[in-house]
Amino acid sequence: CATKWWYEILKPEQGTEVLATWRTRHQSGQAAVTLRRLGKGAVLYVGTYFTPELLTLLQERLLGLSGLEKPFPKRPGGVEVVKRSAEGRVLWFFLNHGEEEAVVRDVVAGKDLLNGTEFPGGNLILKPQDVKVIRVDA
């Protein structure tokens, strides 16, 4: 981690996992983010302000700890994204309510059910008032 603001150098006790270390100035190599499991839960201690960069760095780990799924694909304003799942199949619905073309980023690969083609994953382009349904088999 690096920061230009306030920071703490953490001194983790035995049984505490170091998730990130500092890499700037005199704190280089010292603990910056720690995790301690307690019973069925866990305590995450972050020795600085949460910045967008730090949240990006910790996102995967925090999702794993929480048991939550990855967030929905990144969507622009005016686009509705809905996920439905049952019997090992996931359906993603993308609805562009806007009057301009929209791009939904980080969409998983699957079959476009409205035109029968395979969607390779990545950016999904929606025309104005467009609807796409992508099926992902688990």
Side-chain angles (χ1 to χ4, degrees), residues 9 79 86 89 99 111:
I9 296 174
V79 173
R89 182 173 29 181
E99 298 298 327
K111 184 167 187 171

Side-chain angles (χ1 to χ4, degrees), residues 36-123:
R36 173 97 185 222
R37 295 180 190 282
L38 297 171
K40 293 181 181 179
V43 175
L44 179 76
Y45 193 98
V46 179
T48 189
Y49 295 108
F50 276 98
T51 62
E53 296 81 16
L54 181 58
L55 288 172
T56 298
L57 176 73
L58 294 174
Q59 180 179 8
E60 290 294 322
R61 189 62 179 260
L62 293 174
L63 285 171
L65 287 170
S66 70
L68 297 173
E69 295 180 17
K70 282 189 171 185
F72 279 8
K74 297 174 188 161
R75 63 179 181 84
V79 173
E80 180 180 355
V81 178
V82 177
K83 177 183 176 186
R84 297 287 183 254
S85 58
E87 300 174 8
R89 182 173 29 181
V90 175
L91 297 177
W92 286 95
F93 297 84
F94 301 91
L95 299 90
N96 182 1
H97 297 288
E99 298 298 327
E100 296 180 15
E101 185 175 272
V103 178
V104 182
R105 302 190 187 292
D106 302 327
V107 176
V108 297
K111 184 167 187 171
D112 183 330
L113 294 182
L114 299 182
N115 67 20
T117 63
E118 291 297 321
F119 175 71
N123 293 342

